Amino acid sequence: MTTDSEAAIALKNEGNVAIAAKNWEKAIECYNKAIELDPTKAVFYSNRALAHTRLESHGFSIADASKSIELDPTYIKAYYRRATSNLSLARYAEALKDFRTVCKMAPNDQDARLKMQECEKMVKKINFLKAIEVGEPASAAEGLDLASMAVESDYDGVKLGDEMTLEFIECMIERFKNGKKLPKKYVYQIVLKAKEIFGSEPTMPEVKIADTQKMTVCGDTHGQYFDLLEIFNRNGYPTEEHMYLFNGDFVDRGSWSTEIALLLFAYKWLYPRNFFLNRGNHETDDMNRVYGFEGECKAKYNERTFKLFSEAFSALPLATLIGDKYLVLHGGLFSDDKITLDDIRNYDRSKQRQPGQEGLMMEMLWTDPQNLPGRSPSKRGVGMMFGPDVTKRFCERNGLEAIIRSHEVRMGGYDVEHDGKCITVFSAPNYVDTSGNKGAYINIGPDYKLQHNVFDAVPHPDIKPMAYAQSPLSSMMM
């Protein structure tokens, strides 16, 4: 007769097979059952932590790794996995502590030693920046004389004057497809103009769809430039009659993040009242340092380019209200039922450049839905999770049909949850070249009915995700 302990080991082994096949959900299911039968084995929690990490559920991963360490303080993999999840959340000091423990236990582990050294550099850098902080930092645009700046002599594209043109955008699209860059002068012009326009918009723009118009809502694109072009090729390029809203996370992970950001910013300049961008949790400095956008800006242009983008990201609206029916925001809802649309309207985002670990901005960028009622700690380790009852109350109180959010991979490209009142749309198919998911976008006409559209990833040049990441995470990709 099989004992509970033997059955648990068999389930663990089944979970390991699922891990090898990159079936993270199946792996978690197996480890859950193993833990129910035998909750005393450190390896069960540590392996489940790995699966949670792959699903970006870093809060769950940290909890599992910590439980594994509690059961067996000598279990090296648990320290490594907790360090990895803390690193993913830009918690460098916590990650460094665990990487040091790994290196002490396994002094010949060169991978862990490299990650420890990189974490040490990041901690020193952050401490240095804090030490020299005096009031509001000067803008990266200070001392930038665009009028006298020359365009590089080898640039053979359309010239950009004082106004954005469709001809310039079409040329830019082709240049980016062919691996070419823009002159720095034009990059600065586009980013500074976009920042100016964002700064003139409210925290929550309110959009009506006229009889001759339609609106397309897109989710995360994450530097997957060729998949972005697939959306435009399938669905139509932006015009004054065909409005677009990109719901955050334009950058990071994918290795064409500057191309996406510049293209979206150029469209914002061309159609300021018909093209909209919301801020995501990856339009933030901490995430950009970890997941590649900062490194990409420096590699393709320079450090000033990243700083200008950072300032523009901090000016982005946090939500968009479509036809008084749909609130579109990157993450989700709030820890307090009393929050209303008026709180979003009245929120002064200019006083807080980065979202931090609490407050309205953080929750709008980071929270996620759950199936259970009520609220729970976040699987990510930042923000929280909200149930269908929370969504129902928010929609009823604010006269909404639904919220539309992004922030999470959905294997089918989109998901309709919470009795139809919470819709997730994710527009990066085959996310980080490994997930196998569909991408999706939502079309909304003058009748405000939602039409969900699904598409597959398209081929791209052989440049891997996170190619420009300057952190240990670049070697941790799935």
Side-chain angles (χ1 to χ4, degrees), residues 20-33:
K22 299 182 179 179
N23 188 342
W24 319 120
E25 291 89 351
K26 175 66 175 178
I28 290 170
E29 181 183 335
C30 292
Y31 298 136
N32 286 347
K33 292 177 180 177

Side-chain angles (χ1 to χ4, degrees), residues 109-384:
D109 188 332
Q110 294 303 313
D111 177 70
R113 186 161 299 279
L114 174 62
K115 291 177 173 59
M116 179 186 73
Q117 292 168 349
E118 291 297 321
C119 275
E120 286 173 340
K121 290 177 184 177
M122 291 303 299
V123 170
K124 288 178 182 177
K125 179 180 178 180
I126 291 168
N127 289 338
F128 173 75
L129 292 174
K130 286 181 179 177
I132 63 172
E133 255 182 23
V134 181
E136 187 69 22
S139 170
E142 191 171 297
L144 194 59
D145 185 2
L146 290 177
S148 63
M149 185 178 294
V151 170
E152 286 87 339
S153 59
D154 60 349
Y155 177 69
D156 57 356
V158 173
K159 293 181 179 178
L160 177 62
D162 294 333
E163 298 295 332
M164 180 56 64
T165 66
L166 187 57
E167 181 186 19
F168 180 87
I169 289 179
E170 290 171 346
C171 173
M172 179 171 60
I173 289 172
E174 291 303 311
R175 290 184 69 82
F176 290 164
K177 284 168 62 176
N178 295 319
K180 296 181 178 181
K181 297 183 292 185
L182 291 182
K184 290 186 182 69
K185 175 177 180 176
Y186 293 169
V187 170
Y188 297 159
Q189 277 185 266
I190 292 168
V191 178
L192 287 171
K193 186 63 179 181
K195 176 189 172 186
E196 176 188 326
I197 297 169
F198 298 144
S200 70
E201 292 182 316
T203 296
M204 184 182 71
E206 302 183 36
V207 184
K208 306 292 185 183
I209 303 173
D211 290 343
T212 58
Q213 292 179 316
K214 73 174 179 179
M215 165 77 83
T216 297
V217 179
C218 298
D220 305 35
T221 52
H222 273 305
Q224 296 184 198
Y225 178 72
F226 294 87
D227 295 317
L228 169 63
L229 295 188
E230 176 69 1
I231 295 174
F232 290 152
N233 289 331
R234 290 169 57 94
N235 192 53
Y237 281 72
T239 66
E240 291 185 349
E241 299 303 306
H242 188 170
M243 300 186 289
Y244 271 85
L245 165 59
F246 284 84
N247 192 29
D249 283 14
F250 330 121
V251 302
D252 280 338
R253 290 199 172 89
S255 294
W256 292 269
S257 291
T258 56
E259 286 81 0
I260 283 188
L262 287 168
L263 178 56
L264 298 184
F265 280 20
Y267 270 125
K268 182 63 180 178
W269 186 356
L270 183 64
Y271 303 122
R273 292 180 296 277
N274 303 84
F275 192 89
F276 301 90
L277 303 174
N278 286 341
R279 191 176 190 178
N281 67 303
H282 278 269
E283 281 70 55
T284 58
D285 287 355
D286 282 349
M287 294 295 100
N288 295 160
R289 291 190 186 106
V290 174
Y291 291 98
F293 184 61
E294 180 181 32
E296 184 180 335
C297 287
K298 291 177 179 179
K300 293 179 179 178
Y301 297 102
N302 55 22
E303 185 173 6
R304 173 174 253 169
T305 298
F306 172 68
K307 289 181 177 179
L308 289 172
F309 267 121
S310 174
E311 292 176 21
F313 290 164
S314 71
L316 282 163
L318 301 180
T320 301
L321 183 64
I322 301 177
D324 297 323
K325 292 179 179 288
Y326 305 106
L327 176 66
V328 186
L329 71 174
H330 182 72
L333 295 180
F334 309 98
S335 56
D336 186 346
D337 271 348
K338 295 178 183 177
I339 297 295
T340 67
L341 294 181
D342 280 339
D343 291 300
I344 303 173
R345 288 185 181 100
N346 297 328
Y347 183 78
D348 185 359
R349 67 193 189 280
S350 68
K351 292 182 178 179
Q352 186 179 354
R353 283 196 57 192
Q354 303 301 321
Q357 296 293 311
E358 60 183 9
L360 185 141
M361 183 192 295
M362 180 278 291
E363 292 180 348
M364 294 177 74
L365 301 188
W366 277 97
T367 59
D368 295 292
Q370 64 180 17
N371 293 327
L372 294 174
R375 296 175 172 89
S376 302
S378 173
K379 62 185 180 182
R380 298 176 185 269
V382 181
M384 55 111 204

